[in-house]
Amino acid sequence: MEGQGLPQAIIRPRGYQLEMLDESIRQNVIVAMDTGSGKTQIAVLRIKAELERCPPSQIVWFLAPTVVLATQQYEVFCSQLPSYQSRVLTGTDGVDRWGEQRIWDAILENVRIVVSTHQVLLDALTHGFIRIERICLLVFDEAHCCTHKHPASLIMKHFYHPRVSRGEKVPYILGLTASPVINAKAGELQKLEESLDATAKTPRQNRQELLKYVYPPVLSKVSFRTDTADHSFVLGQLIQVFQNLEISEDPYVKLLLKGRDEKSVKLLSKALNTRKTFCQDSFKRLCQRSIHIHEELGRWTSDCFIKSCIEQFQKCNGGASDPLIDWDHREKSYLLRKLNSIPISSVNEKFDETDISLIAPKAESLIDLLVREHKSSFTGIIFVKQRATVAMLAKLLSVHPQTKDRFSIRTFIGNQSRKPDIFELLAIKDQNDALDDLRTGKANLVISTSVLEEGIDISACNIVICFELPPHLKSFIQRRGRARKEESKYILMLPEDDMFVRVEKWEELEEQMKVIYMNERRKFEKLRELEAMDEDCKQVLSIEKTGAILTFDNVISHLNHFCATLPGDAYMDRRPEYEFRGFESGKFISAKVTLPSAVDSALREHCGTSKWRTEKTAARDAAFQAYLALYKAGLVNDNMLPLSEPALKFSESQVEKRAAIVEVNCPLNPWVELIQQWNSHETFCAITIDTGGFLPKMVMLLPGRVPILPPLTVHWDTTKKFNVSFLEVGDCQQYSSHFEVATLITQTLLLSFFRAKLLDSKLDFLALFIPATDIEYLESWHRSVEGKISGREALAMSHGVGSFPYGLLRDLTSGLTSPGYIHKNVALKLPKSSRNPKKLSEESGEISPVDPQEELCFEALRYPKRMDFLHEIPSSNIDSKNPNVDLAVANCVFEKLPLPYVQFTTLIPSIIHHIETHLIAWILTESLLAPVGISNLNLVKIAISPSAVREPLGNYQRLEFFGDSMLKYFTTVTILAQHLTWHEGYLSACKDRIVGNAPLCNAALQINLPRFILAKPFTGSKWQPPYKSDLLNPAQATREMSTKTLADVMESLIGASFLDGMEEKCLRCLRVLIPRVPWLATKDSVSKLNDCVPINMGFSQFLGPLERLIGYQFKKKTLLVEALTHPSHSGSFTTANYQRYEFLGDAVLDCIVVNKIFRHEKMFPHPEMHTLREVVVNADFLAFLCLELSVMEKRTELDKTKITPTLIDSAQSFHIWEFMRHTNPELPLVQKEVMNRHKELRESILEALEKGDKYPWALLLRAKYNKFFSDLIESITGAVFIDSGGSTEACEGFLEKLGVLKYLHRAMEGGVRIKHPKEQLGILANDQRVRYKHGKEQRKDRGERLWCKVYVGDRELVSVGDGVSPEEVMTRAADEAIDILMTERGTSKEDEMME
């Protein structure tokens, strides 16, 4: 059909392809055919055949050596096998983060063809996510890779061959290769076949057909002279600078000289002896690359290369896009200083055509070759060895007069991840489209590294040039396969003195290999070479549950990965450290590995169990024992992976990205469960409603039994409010025979005000209301108030007095459903009830127009329509204009129901809503929360009331703030005690999967909490009388709810339970709401934490001054020692570091501060509570206090001004941070720098904290405190908490002495502007947009600094400079902008703080 796009590729198998297909079905084969002969088509056919005969639960797995090739083959399968789901898996998909079986199961569900790199499958098999028996066919593209320690070989070694030896089912194997041997060693083909359990095959019956489709290129050799011109001046200077580098000036050596520990001494000795440092090596590599380019391409190209590298290096300024951002700034500065001494300004980047000495002989030969071979259909590839050569050769050819107009050049170096280096900085132009441009004709020459050798589908070329000799036979054959056009050429560039030897050897070996693998009856001699440094290591840990294995081959990478996931900072080395010990005069070696201090002390050091010939194997042995211990301790899961996403019994498997809105059940209708009892009149309650004399006392009859109802505050009008009390009648059975009259009375009451909302045919009201009078008089009372009386009759009965014992006055000309009026007086007036006066005929009862004339009228006021008495009347709703209305007496009737009963009727919607919400809270406490035993229902009502419902008691925001802190506190102490060996990274991940909004939302949905959450605000305007018949078959509707609301209600209920019954009820509530967590009481958690702390170690004598400083005497000194241990600490007396204690202290600090704020008499609103907490728990504030708190110790000095020795009493201060234990020689320098900034700013910060009217946000940011200062405060808090048995009072003592609580009290008392300036400026700007623009500036005295301008609307309000960080300069600018706006508007600081 036309017009439907290009047709899909159709499988048209050739004879030799079918021959290979038949062979692969009969047995495992390695198809050895030339590049371009259609090996992929054979794979397509084989996959299709296998999928047609295997069970649907099995899959085909296609393995490719590179991501590019995997993606290419995936596209082929999608096109040619569209009836099967295919999927490509590579590292770019984040496969390494798929740490759970359910992820793999979901990804591979219904997938039949998987394409991946070898490492992806090896990792999946190793960790047990994929079992090899699930794979029906394994296809190895570029199968020659499957040797030695290649991932393809390890797949076969560890997962295929063991099952074969046990006689278990294994997948079929298909290998594809153009070169089954990759070097000249004898027996390599046999090893490949043994590894893949397959036989190498090439077409025999259809050999002639194969030759029709394969065009072997003509092998040519081009010679070049090997004489090289002298180095250019710039290159000579580069080499001279390198040779003159003084090792003593090297930044790395300088840093080691400052260290005094054993490790630093060893490293220093090694650096001095070997001259191997980062700077030395980087400079050396730059020289080597430059010399290589000089020899290969010539003087001009090498000079351009050096200049480009130095210029690019000069641009690396440490910004986010800096490729060298991870480099040490001192080493970068040192190298830059040395490179700046090279006179690159003398380099002329314009190519001089007349100077033949600029080009190397080899480059001249290449250019001559290209010019000779060029024609209109030319397409070629030049293979070079180094990435730098790719860029510089492309530059040379693009400017040389003989090539620049003939060739459109592209470069391709692949996507290999490399460590950044100086010579890697020169930019290669975008290469993503390079191959497409070659295919489409936009380019005709590609310069590439070996990345284009194998697999990648590129356009067939008519010339392939090896600028450098291929490194091995595999490379020789693969490159040759790129020249696939008819009459193509494969050209090797060789020096004049080596034109024949190597090439002839390769060709001869290749022909021998073809003869061997075409001989099906061959038998190889079993030659085993003793491979040096490859010892037999048979120890394997196999996990039966998942099939994951741990071997000597993978244990080093596993352990390195585990250590890389440990928490730490910039000063901590996460790598495991190995020590070796020799035996028998060094003949054998054993190893010990030490893991970083984030690992529990009992699991940190491990020794190998055997002696080995090599350090490599000894290290593997020690690493194996370490990883085995980590697995047994539960720090590694059954997939042999770190718990990056903890597989916890009591936490969400991962923090899901949940939608903002979910569909939930509609709110619980508390009346539904009571209707059946009401129908029989057997179970009901009678409640007296008392308004304190303001309105008549009434009795309400309700279905079932209800709890004690709290008073209801009624906002009657703008000036008056009163309480309505509810008291259950003791003998409610006295009403059991009066339901009929009670129903009629209720109808009469509702008709008086809600006539338009009543259904005439329905009298089965949910709640009945009657006067609180003797039962015997109910019927007579009802008869007396039922019906209406005409205005004239009422006037006659009053004998002209004008005072009536009736209810609302109604104007019949407007209808009985019109609003009623309150009668005020009687007078002779012109009626103003309408513009067209009407008269009611007494004879016919009809209303007819009349001429306006004065007559007897009632002066009346319209009765208010208001039905919401739960809330105060908004000022916008106050109607000051309610003038008297004159109604013709002849047109009016009075309701007989007295006005006070009408007024009570208007309260019925508010009363029912009040009872209904109370019932919902009561049912919640009696059902879901029954184990908690909450007694204060008002707390529960608040907890289930979102702010949008506007409940009179308030919303849950304050409770949510309090409950959030309680939840985090109990979660922290529980998981710490449950997992005594977990590091802070695991603990944080676990906590997030319990306290995050998504897990809380999930938990709420699981217990069906949404049905108890109030949904809509009460206004009364849409209220209708509830009927019991409407509740017998309630509709099962749903509603939408914010997931954050669900999480907030969970936290609010936790807060409510704590307020109602402290820790005991809070823990009960947690066990109900989040039952998957084995919640522990604080005393039990602390007891477990205390028990696991080692007995006091012998190096805690230095703690005396610190204990006096913090105001607490430790029972277990080890706790304080560990709380002071920085993650960088290693060597002797290494304990656990402070990270676990910091994790605990953060929660304890938050709990203490939140309790103080929540219980303050001012009842702070929710946003202000957040701000109050933030000002005292933020890291900068805690760091400032850490640097401030010190203890003085007596010190005696000598008075040097006296001739005779005179002693002077003095004192020395000690700060908390000075007790921090570490072994990083750089940390003291960092601490000193911070202390200098602190001394410069401390007086200003202290002034602001003690006397100022605003919080010093900008000053604290300017100090640039390191995080480890605040970490110390939190870790010590955590240590005090454990040592004191969980006493928050003991922790408060430390925080009070530190100054945290002191400033909190000052902030809560008011008079301080605590909002962050950026937030406050946004408020002051009203609807105007606030913009911040910042940049860099150079200052002679301070170096590089930042500036910031603040715009409010279109106006530039302020500009500041001398910033030390973007956040600091923006905060300071916002602060100044606030002062300007306040001055302009005449707003006092007191007014602003009131706002």
Side-chain angles (χ1 to χ4, degrees):
M1 296 178 64
E2 297 181 359
Q4 295 187 8
L6 295 175
Q8 291 187 342
I10 300 175
I11 299 177
R12 296 183 183 274
R14 300 164 186 162
Y16 63 86
Q17 292 172 334
L18 293 175
E19 179 184 342
M20 291 295 95
L21 171 63
D22 292 339
E23 289 287 350
S24 69
I25 291 177
R26 282 198 299 268
Q27 61 178 319
N28 294 342
V29 298
I30 304 169
V31 175
M33 299 192 323
D34 291 330
T35 302
S37 58
K39 294 187 294 295
T40 301
Q41 282 297 90
I42 297 173
V44 170
L45 296 172
R46 180 67 182 89
I47 291 171
K48 184 175 185 294
E50 191 61 35
L51 290 177
E52 288 174 349
R53 70 179 186 176
C54 74
S57 59
Q58 291 196 295
I59 58 177
V60 172
W61 205 293
F62 188 99
L63 296 168
T66 65
V67 173
V68 176
L69 182 54
T71 304
Q72 172 187 296
Q73 302 293 49
Y74 164 72
E75 292 172 353
V76 170
F77 298 139
C78 289
S79 172
Q80 298 201 17
L81 298 172
S83 59
Y84 299 102
Q85 282 198 40
S86 303
R87 185 177 290 278
V88 61
L89 305 178
T90 66
T92 57
D93 299 313
V95 177
D96 55 331
R97 296 191 296 274
W98 297 356
E100 292 186 66
Q101 184 66 52
R102 65 178 185 82
I103 299 177
W104 285 89
D105 291 343
I107 289 293
L108 299 182
E109 185 177 6
N110 298 325
V111 171
R112 303 302 308 280
I113 305 170
V114 180
V115 185
S116 78
T117 56
H118 302 93
Q119 191 65 50
V120 169
L121 178 57
L122 176 60
D123 290 343
L125 290 168
T126 299
H127 298 301
F129 296 128
I130 297 295
R131 292 182 178 270
I132 199 165
E133 57 265 31
R134 185 183 176 188
I135 302 173
C136 59
L137 173 65
L138 258 179
V139 184
F140 291 85
D141 201 4
E142 308 299 341
H144 48 264
C145 297
C146 191
T147 58
H148 305 297
K149 299 295 183 181
H150 191 277
S153 178
L154 296 179
I155 290 171
M156 299 299 291
K157 175 183 176 181
H158 295 307
F159 299 98
Y160 181 93
H161 289 294
R163 291 183 65 86
V164 171
S165 65
R166 297 191 297 266
E168 297 173 348
K169 185 179 180 181
V170 291
Y172 294 98
I173 302 296
L174 171 62
L176 307 173
T177 182
S179 53
V181 290
I182 60 174
N183 56 50
K185 289 184 180 180
E188 284 297 306
L189 179 58
Q190 182 184 9
K191 291 180 180 180
L192 177 64
E193 291 180 324
E194 290 176 353
S195 178
L196 284 176
D197 190 27
T199 304
K201 293 283 184 180
T202 193
R204 296 189 63 196
Q205 290 85 2
N206 299 278
R207 184 72 179 170
Q208 293 303 315
E209 183 187 20
L210 173 62
L211 293 177
K212 293 180 182 179
Y213 295 99
V214 176
Y215 307 105
V218 176
L219 179 64
S220 303
K221 302 144 195 171
V222 173
S223 64
F224 59 88
R225 303 190 318 276
T226 55
D227 54 304
T228 306
D230 294 336
H231 292 166
S232 69
F233 175 72
V234 173
L235 178 56
Q237 288 294 305
L238 176 69
I239 297 172
Q240 183 177 350
V241 171
F242 169 65
Q243 293 172 342
N244 293 336
L245 291 180
E246 291 290 342
I247 191 66
S248 59
E249 296 180 3
D250 194 288
Y252 178 64
V253 173
K254 286 184 175 182
L255 179 63
L256 292 176
L257 285 169
K258 296 176 183 178
R260 296 291 182 265
D261 57 288
E262 183 180 348
K263 182 178 178 180
S264 297
V265 172
K266 288 182 180 179
L267 293 175
L268 177 62
S269 176
K270 181 179 179 181
L272 293 175
N273 291 331
T274 63
R275 296 182 68 86
K276 283 187 175 295
T277 68
F278 179 80
C279 292
Q280 288 276 341
D281 290 346
S282 297
F283 219 118
K284 181 179 180 180
R285 290 190 294 270
L286 177 60
C287 289
Q288 291 172 339
R289 295 301 190 279
S290 301
I291 293 171
H292 178 77
I293 291 174
H294 169 79
E295 294 173 347
E296 299 283 282
L297 303 179
R299 295 170 51 196
W300 179 80
T301 316
S302 66
D303 284 356
C304 290
F305 173 72
I306 294 169
K307 182 177 182 180
S308 297
C309 289
I310 294 175
E311 289 178 343
Q312 291 298 321
F313 188 63
Q314 291 169 343
K315 295 177 182 179
C316 297
N317 54 13
S321 60
D322 184 358
L324 307 181
I325 192 170
D326 293 330
W327 280 28
D328 184 275
H329 68 93
R330 289 161 297 196
E331 292 175 327
K332 188 188 292 187
S333 299
Y334 173 75
L335 287 172
L336 182 60
R337 189 167 65 252
K338 295 298 182 182
L339 290 173
N340 284 340
S341 65
I342 298 170
I344 59 174
S345 59
S346 62
V347 176
N348 183 9
E349 292 194 80
K350 184 176 180 181
F351 185 77
D352 186 356
E353 305 175 15
T354 63
D355 190 352
I356 61 174
S357 66
L358 295 178
I359 303 178
K362 188 174 183 179
E364 287 181 359
S365 298
L366 173 64
I367 292 172
D368 292 341
L369 170 64
L370 289 172
V371 172
R372 288 196 308 270
E373 296 295 337
H374 180 264
K375 53 186 177 182
S376 59
S377 60
F378 178 94
T379 53
I381 301 176
I382 301 175
F383 283 103
V384 300
K385 183 178 180 180
Q386 297 181 1
R387 292 156 64 97
T389 310
V390 172
M392 300 317 298
L393 179 56
K395 181 178 180 71
L396 174 61
L397 296 180
S398 65
V399 299
H400 196 281
Q402 295 187 58
T403 55
K404 64 180 181 180
D405 297 326
R406 286 184 169 93
F407 301 100
S408 177
I409 302 168
R410 300 292 187 271
T411 58
F412 193 85
I413 58 176
N415 297 316
Q416 301 137 314
S417 58
R418 289 171 171 262
K419 292 183 179 179
D421 212 332
I422 300 174
F423 58 83
E424 295 284 357
L425 291 176
L426 67 167
I428 295 286
K429 291 184 179 180
D430 185 16
Q431 59 177 1
N432 294 333
D433 299 326
L435 302 184
D436 287 337
D437 289 348
L438 188 65
R439 295 186 189 105
T440 58
K442 292 182 180 179
N444 59 2
L445 181 62
V446 172
I447 305 173
S448 173
T449 58
S450 60
V451 70
L452 277 186
E453 284 182 358
E454 57 184 16
I456 299 176
D457 180 24
I458 61 175
S459 177
C461 299
N462 53 26
I463 185 167
V464 172
I465 301 172
C466 294
F467 192 64
E468 286 126 339
L469 280 177
H472 40 64
L473 178 60
K474 181 194 86 168
S475 183
F476 174 81
I477 297 173
Q478 295 285 3
R479 292 183 181 184
R480 188 187 63 181
R482 295 301 172 205
R484 301 203 302 268
K485 281 189 177 180
E486 195 170 359
E487 298 182 357
S488 59
K489 293 183 179 181
Y490 180 43
I491 301 174
L492 303 180
M493 297 193 67
L494 300 169
E496 290 177 337
D497 54 355
D498 187 17
M499 282 290 291
F500 303 101
V501 181
R502 293 180 63 185
V503 178
E504 276 70 15
K505 286 183 179 179
W506 285 338
E507 291 177 333
E508 180 183 354
L509 179 61
E510 185 182 13
E511 289 302 319
Q512 292 175 359
M513 292 301 104
K514 287 183 178 180
V515 171
I516 292 174
Y517 62 66
M518 289 177 65
N519 181 10
E520 294 183 3
R521 296 183 179 180
R522 70 188 183 280
K523 291 185 179 180
F524 283 98
E525 293 182 0
K526 294 185 178 180
L527 302 175
R528 302 292 183 185
E529 296 181 358
L530 179 63
E531 297 185 5
M533 305 301 184
D534 191 8
E535 300 177 79
D536 189 14
C537 314
K538 295 183 178 179
Q539 193 169 359
V540 175
L541 173 63
S542 180
I543 310 301
E544 183 178 354
K545 179 180 178 181
T546 63
I549 63 170
L550 181 71
T551 68
F552 271 38
D553 291 321
N554 62 27
V555 69
I556 293 291
S557 61
H558 277 35
L559 189 60
N560 288 341
H561 175 60
F562 173 84
C563 293
T565 64
L566 296 173
D569 58 21
Y571 310 102
M572 172 187 173
D573 189 348
R574 292 182 178 86
R575 294 172 298 179
E577 187 173 335
Y578 296 91
E579 297 179 26
F580 301 96
R581 181 183 177 188
F583 297 91
E584 299 182 22
S585 301
K587 185 177 181 181
F588 296 99
I589 300 171
S590 70
K592 181 181 79 172
V593 62
T594 303
L595 305 182
S597 63
V599 179
D600 186 73
S601 303
L603 299 170
R604 192 165 304 134
E605 293 184 353
H606 303 274
C607 295
T609 58
S610 302
K611 300 172 184 176
W612 305 91
R613 297 287 298 275
T614 65
E615 287 187 359
K616 176 180 68 176
T617 312
R620 291 175 174 178
D621 186 7
F624 191 93
Q625 308 312 318
Y627 214 75
L628 179 62
L630 294 173
Y631 172 70
K632 291 180 178 179
L635 301 182
V636 175
N637 63 21
D638 287 335
N639 298 111
M640 291 289 103
L641 286 172
L643 307 182
S644 56
E645 291 187 3
L648 306 175
K649 295 179 181 178
F650 54 87
S651 76
E652 295 287 323
S653 58
Q654 65 177 16
V655 179
E656 299 177 1
K657 292 184 178 179
R658 178 171 285 279
I661 301 295
V662 292
E663 192 173 88
V664 299
N665 293 331
C666 276
L668 170 74
N669 190 325
W671 309 108
V672 172
E673 300 178 13
L674 307 177
I675 292 302
Q676 296 301 326
Q677 302 172 19
W678 175 257
N679 286 341
S680 64
H681 296 171
E682 294 177 358
T683 304
F684 67 95
C685 65
I687 298 174
T688 301
I689 303 175
D690 189 354
T691 61
F694 187 78
L695 295 174
K697 186 180 294 187
M698 302 290 286
V699 173
M700 176 175 56
L701 303 179
L702 288 174
R705 294 294 179 184
V706 297
I708 298 174
L709 299 174
L712 167 64
T713 299
V714 171
H715 298 273
W716 187 251
D717 53 32
T718 56
T719 60
K720 184 173 182 57
K721 64 180 180 180
F722 57 86
N723 287 332
V724 177
S725 61
F726 303 89
L727 180 64
E728 187 170 356
V729 177
D731 181 17
C732 64
Q733 290 302 317
Q734 59 180 310
Y735 299 101
S736 59
S737 59
H738 295 79
F739 274 87
E740 184 176 349
V741 66
T743 300
L744 296 175
I745 292 174
T746 302
Q747 183 187 34
T748 300
L749 291 172
L750 294 174
L751 284 171
S752 69
F753 192 78
F754 298 105
R755 179 181 294 272
K757 296 179 179 290
L758 288 184
L759 300 176
D760 295 336
S761 61
K762 301 187 73 170
L763 293 175
D764 55 334
F765 302 112
L766 176 66
L768 302 180
F769 296 89
I770 57 177
T773 184
D774 290 340
I775 298 176
E776 293 80 8
Y777 299 110
L778 282 178
E779 292 189 15
S780 60
W781 182 87
H782 179 245
R783 286 193 298 271
S784 67
V785 300
E786 188 179 24
K788 305 174 181 61
I789 185 172
S790 69
R792 286 181 174 177
E793 185 179 358
L795 188 61
M797 293 178 64
S798 69
H799 305 291
V801 175
S803 176
F804 310 105
Y806 305 118
L808 291 179
L809 179 67
R810 295 192 183 277
D811 180 7
L812 294 179
T813 61
S814 300
L816 293 177
T817 59
S818 63
Y821 298 86
I822 302 175
H823 165 257
K824 304 297 290 184
N825 198 5
V826 180
L828 187 63
K829 291 186 175 183
L830 183 68
K832 298 180 181 179
S833 57
S834 67
R835 294 182 179 178
N836 301 308
K838 300 176 182 179
K839 182 176 182 181
L840 179 67
S841 171
E842 294 184 2
E843 296 180 359
S844 65
E846 296 180 355
I847 299 174
S848 57
V850 297
D851 295 329
Q853 59 182 351
E854 285 190 347
E855 60 178 289
L856 201 60
C857 293
F858 289 122
E859 292 181 356
L861 288 175
R862 188 183 301 273
Y863 193 81
K865 297 181 180 179
R866 181 165 171 246
M867 289 179 280
D868 177 10
F869 295 92
L870 300 180
H871 305 96
E872 293 182 356
I873 302 176
S875 57
S876 59
N877 290 358
I878 298 175
D879 186 8
S880 58
K881 299 178 180 179
N882 189 12
N884 290 343
V885 177
D886 298 327
L887 303 173
V889 171
N891 296 341
C892 293
V893 295
F894 278 102
E895 299 277 0
K896 288 187 177 181
L897 182 69
L899 183 61
Y901 291 97
V902 178
Q903 292 173 318
F904 173 83
T905 302
T906 62
L907 294 182
I908 288 178
S910 299
I911 291 172
I912 289 181
H913 179 80
H914 172 69
I915 298 172
E916 185 172 302
T917 56
H918 195 75
L919 281 175
I920 293 174
W922 176 67
I923 294 173
L924 174 58
T925 57
E926 292 296 313
S927 55
L928 179 62
L929 298 181
V932 183
I934 296 179
S935 58
N936 188 341
L937 285 184
N938 279 344
L939 284 173
V940 178
K941 283 181 67 173
I942 295 173
I944 61 175
S945 301
S947 55
V949 303
R950 297 177 57 243
E951 278 300 296
L953 286 175
N955 61 61
Y956 61 48
Q957 288 186 331
R958 277 176 47 84
L959 271 181
E960 177 269 327
F961 175 79
F962 182 75
D964 172 75
S965 181
M966 294 300 102
L967 172 61
K968 291 175 180 175
Y969 165 79
F970 284 110
T971 300
T972 298
V973 296
T974 293
I975 62 176
L976 268 169
Q978 289 284 353
H979 299 283
L980 299 175
T981 60
W982 276 18
H983 56 70
E984 187 267 340
Y986 285 1
L987 295 170
S988 294
C990 177
K991 185 180 78 170
D992 291 344
R993 287 158 178 76
I994 296 174
V995 306
N997 277 357
L1000 289 177
C1001 176
N1002 285 339
L1005 293 173
Q1006 288 169 7
I1007 59 178
N1008 201 12
L1009 182 63
R1011 67 195 186 106
F1012 296 105
I1013 300 176
L1014 304 185
K1016 296 180 180 179
F1018 173 77
T1019 62
S1021 59
K1022 296 183 179 180
W1023 182 84
Q1024 288 184 328
Y1027 298 97
K1028 61 183 181 181
S1029 56
D1030 294 338
L1031 301 174
L1032 291 175
N1033 297 299
Q1036 298 299 317
T1038 60
R1039 56 174 168 157
E1040 291 186 338
M1041 181 172 288
S1042 162
T1043 54
K1044 185 179 185 305
T1045 297
L1046 286 170
D1048 288 349
V1049 171
M1050 291 278 284
E1051 292 171 337
S1052 301
L1053 289 171
I1054 293 167
S1057 64
F1058 190 92
L1059 294 173
D1060 191 67
M1062 302 302 287
E1063 178 174 321
E1064 181 181 355
K1065 289 189 178 181
C1066 189
L1067 284 173
R1068 292 180 197 165
C1069 184
L1070 286 167
R1071 290 168 185 142
V1072 169
L1073 298 182
I1074 315 175
R1076 67 179 184 274
V1077 179
W1079 298 101
L1080 295 176
T1082 297
K1083 61 180 180 60
D1084 296 329
S1085 296
V1086 171
S1087 177
K1088 292 184 68 174
L1089 293 170
N1090 209 331
D1091 290 345
C1092 74
V1093 177
I1095 303 297
N1096 290 337
M1097 308 168 82
F1099 56 98
S1100 56
Q1101 292 82 1
F1102 71 100
L1103 300 176
L1106 180 59
E1107 288 181 315
R1108 294 195 300 273
L1109 178 60
I1110 65 179
Y1112 181 81
Q1113 194 79 20
F1114 276 82
K1115 306 176 189 67
K1116 275 192 174 180
K1117 307 295 183 185
T1118 307
L1119 273 166
L1120 183 54
V1121 172
E1122 294 181 343
L1124 298 171
T1125 303
H1126 186 268
S1128 69
H1129 191 274
S1130 61
S1132 303
F1133 305 116
T1134 297
T1135 65
N1137 66 41
Y1138 61 51
Q1139 290 173 323
R1140 280 174 57 90
Y1141 299 102
E1142 179 261 329
F1143 178 75
L1144 173 61
D1146 175 74
V1148 174
L1149 171 62
D1150 187 83
C1151 177
I1152 291 172
V1153 169
V1154 166
N1155 264 279
K1156 298 285 185 185
I1157 297 171
F1158 185 86
R1159 297 178 188 275
H1160 196 273
E1161 60 184 9
K1162 288 189 176 181
M1163 299 284 290
F1164 298 108
H1166 180 246
E1168 192 169 350
M1169 290 196 296
H1170 271 288
T1171 304
L1172 284 167
R1173 176 176 63 180
E1174 181 60 23
V1175 298
V1176 293
V1177 303
N1178 72 80
D1180 290 326
F1181 178 71
L1182 294 178
F1184 172 81
L1185 297 181
C1186 180
L1187 271 73
E1188 279 296 293
L1189 187 61
S1190 62
V1191 63
M1192 305 298 294
E1193 281 194 337
K1194 182 181 178 182
R1195 181 183 177 87
T1196 302
E1197 302 286 356
L1198 186 66
D1199 189 349
K1200 298 180 180 180
T1201 63
K1202 302 294 180 66
I1203 299 177
T1204 58
T1206 304
L1207 301 178
I1208 302 174
D1209 288 337
S1210 181
Q1212 182 175 347
S1213 64
F1214 292 92
H1215 297 80
I1216 290 180
W1217 60 269
E1218 293 176 297
F1219 291 88
M1220 187 175 76
R1221 304 171 70 232
H1222 62 84
T1223 54
N1224 188 316
E1226 194 172 356
L1227 268 176
L1229 303 178
V1230 175
Q1231 291 172 329
K1232 183 178 179 181
E1233 292 173 0
V1234 174
M1235 197 62 187
N1236 289 338
R1237 292 195 297 268
H1238 175 75
K1239 289 178 180 178
E1240 180 182 343
L1241 297 169
R1242 70 178 298 270
E1243 291 300 328
S1244 299
I1245 296 175
L1246 280 175
E1247 177 72 18
L1249 291 176
E1250 295 176 356
K1251 302 177 183 177
D1253 58 7
K1254 62 182 178 182
Y1255 186 80
W1257 290 104
L1259 288 172
L1260 290 171
L1261 287 168
R1262 192 169 184 80
K1264 296 178 68 175
Y1265 295 116
N1266 293 76
K1267 185 177 180 294
F1268 57 75
F1269 290 107
S1270 60
D1271 287 347
L1272 275 178
I1273 298 302
E1274 293 174 336
S1275 65
I1276 293 173
T1277 303
V1280 170
F1281 184 76
I1282 295 174
D1283 193 70
S1284 64
S1287 169
T1288 54
E1289 290 77 10
C1291 297
E1292 285 185 30
F1294 168 55
L1295 297 175
E1296 188 67 58
K1297 189 166 186 180
L1298 186 66
V1300 172
L1301 300 185
K1302 177 183 177 182
Y1303 189 77
L1304 177 62
H1305 294 318
R1306 179 167 189 255
M1308 290 192 297
E1309 289 304 315
V1312 183
R1313 192 173 79 197
I1314 61 174
K1315 273 192 177 70
H1316 193 282
K1318 292 172 72 175
E1319 179 186 0
Q1320 186 65 34
L1321 180 59
I1323 296 172
L1324 288 175
N1326 296 324
D1327 295 332
Q1328 297 184 82
R1329 180 188 174 195
V1330 178
R1331 291 185 296 119
Y1332 297 86
K1333 183 179 181 181
H1334 60 85
K1336 297 178 180 178
E1337 62 182 2
Q1338 290 292 331
R1339 294 210 167 194
K1340 294 181 180 180
D1341 55 337
R1342 294 177 178 266
E1344 187 175 86
R1345 290 295 169 115
L1346 301 177
W1347 57 265
C1348 178
K1349 295 180 179 180
V1350 177
Y1351 297 84
V1352 176
D1354 296 328
R1355 172 191 174 192
E1356 180 184 323
L1357 198 62
V1358 69
S1359 177
V1360 299
D1362 194 31
V1364 298
S1365 71
E1367 186 62 26
E1368 180 270 335
V1369 74
M1370 286 192 291
T1371 301
R1372 185 155 45 89
D1375 224 345
E1376 293 188 18
I1378 290 171
D1379 292 337
I1380 293 174
L1381 287 180
M1382 289 172 57
T1383 301
E1384 291 178 349
R1385 298 175 185 180
T1387 306
S1388 69
K1389 295 180 179 179
E1390 290 76 12
D1391 292 340
E1392 182 202 5
M1393 287 182 286
M1394 285 293 292
E1395 291 177 8

